[in-house]
Amino acid sequence: MLLLDLMSSPRPQLLVAAAQQTLGMGKRRSPPQAICLHLAGEVLAVARGLKPAVLYDCNCAGTSELQSYLEELQGLGFLNFGLHILEIGENSLIVSPEHVCQHLEQVLLGTIAFVDVSSCQPHPSVCSLDQLQDLKALVAEIITHLQGLQRDLSPSAVSHSRLHSSDWNLCTVFGILLGYPVPYTFHLNQGDDNCLALTPLRVFTARISWLLGRPPVLLYSFSVPESLFPGLRHILNTWEKDLRTRFRTQNDFADLSISSEIVTLPAVAL
């Protein structure tokens, strides 16, 4: 594994410096070293097709700072092609247009399920994309937007664009874009409340090793209601099999670990 042998070289320090010099611009405090290295690992995972996107809070850095950061990573030889910054609402997602389009096209084919957690119902329930026609049209719109970028932009350039999202359920949209096999959804006209309070949840995490002596990169973290797990097992098994297949096609990360635990919380914020 190439990057696992870099602790004796200046590469990790250069990755930290790239983040602190760009994402810390105009701020009194720069991002801590651990956060800088974890973000670099997540960005590389997107570039290698291990996850469709990284969600980055614009309150931490604006689009221009994030673009400068990705360009710094390119200059270090860390990325061999440009990534795209997709602004949605008050957040930015770092994506590879090609990889995220492939993922969204699979979503349209029905490879994932949704869990409706609207507060009007006593318990969470499973629904398909065909039952959420507005969301299905939205996924198709995002694909069209990204395909246009692939035609119009240089593959080596770091680019950015914005999608207007005034009436979108961002919880569900981000769940899809981040590659969750079972995103949550709910009726927007009922506010942000949900029916997950005191509901046992099975929380899945996927981690990969990267730099020697450093904590692993958290690749995925999502949950499904434990009561629905038996009916969703085939979708989750397919997601795991696909992730392991993609993991075997790259040489930058090692030790993919997928685990789950059951938690119960008095309230769940989405």
Side-chain angles (χ1 to χ4, degrees):
M1 297 294 177
L2 178 61
L3 289 182
L4 296 176
D5 298 328
L6 286 176
M7 288 307 294
S8 60
S9 77
R11 179 63 66 87
Q13 290 72 24
L14 291 175
L15 296 176
V16 171
Q20 291 180 339
Q21 292 170 6
T22 54
L23 302 180
M25 290 190 303
K27 299 177 175 63
R28 293 182 179 179
R29 295 183 60 188
S30 296
Q33 176 175 311
I35 292 178
C36 295
L37 291 176
H38 193 278
L39 177 60
E42 286 190 292
V43 170
L44 184 61
V46 169
R48 296 296 181 264
L50 293 178
K51 60 188 301 182
V54 172
L55 180 62
Y56 195 84
D57 188 347
C58 285
N59 291 323
C60 299
T63 302
S64 60
E65 290 89 350
L66 199 52
Q67 186 165 355
S68 296
Y69 169 66
L70 295 177
E71 289 170 347
E72 283 288 323
L73 294 185
Q74 274 190 297
L76 292 173
F78 186 71
L79 300 174
N80 53 14
F81 61 90
L83 295 177
H84 183 75
I85 302 168
L86 182 64
E87 291 184 76
I88 301 178
E90 297 300 319
N91 295 275
S92 292
L93 295 109
I94 302 170
V95 306
S96 162
E98 178 183 1
H99 292 152
V100 78
C101 276
Q102 292 171 354
H103 166 65
L104 294 178
E105 287 167 352
Q106 289 299 307
V107 169
L108 287 181
L109 293 176
T111 56
I112 70 174
F114 296 84
V115 173
D116 188 342
V117 296
S118 299
S119 58
C120 62
Q121 54 185 28
H123 306 290
S125 60
V126 176
C127 57
S128 69
L129 188 60
D130 286 336
Q131 296 172 273
L132 305 167
Q133 287 300 315
D134 288 346
L135 181 62
K136 190 172 186 178
L138 180 55
V139 172
E141 177 185 337
I142 297 174
I143 291 174
T144 300
H145 175 79
L146 293 171
Q147 287 176 336
L149 295 174
Q150 290 179 268
R151 289 192 301 267
D152 299 337
L153 298 174
S154 167
S156 62
V158 177
S159 55
H160 74 272
S161 63
R162 172 181 287 273
L163 285 170
H164 298 288
S165 57
S166 59
D167 58 347
W168 293 9
N169 185 329
L170 294 182
C171 171
T172 306
V173 171
F174 290 156
I176 294 171
L177 289 171
L178 293 174
Y180 297 165
V182 188
Y184 289 125
T185 190
F186 52 86
H187 301 303
L188 285 176
N189 58 7
Q190 296 174 13
D192 295 331
D193 292 338
N194 59 67
C195 60
L196 293 176
L198 301 177
T199 298
L201 302 175
R202 184 176 289 267
V203 180
F204 290 84
T205 56
R207 294 181 171 89
I208 43 180
S209 297
W210 183 36
L211 297 171
L212 286 173
R214 302 289 181 178
V217 174
L218 180 61
L219 196 60
Y220 288 95
S221 179
F222 61 88
S223 67
V224 299
E226 177 64 11
S227 62
L228 301 178
F229 173 63
L232 296 169
R233 190 189 300 270
H234 66 292
I235 287 178
L236 293 162
N237 287 345
T238 299
W239 167 81
E240 179 175 345
K241 181 180 179 181
D242 178 64
L243 177 57
R244 292 191 183 280
T245 298
R246 285 182 280 122
F247 177 78
R248 288 193 292 268
T249 66
Q250 55 79 48
N251 296 308
D252 297 293
F253 299 97
D255 303 326
L256 171 62
S257 171
I258 301 174
S259 61
S260 69
E261 62 175 339
I262 298 175
V263 302
T264 303
L265 303 172
V268 177
L270 298 177

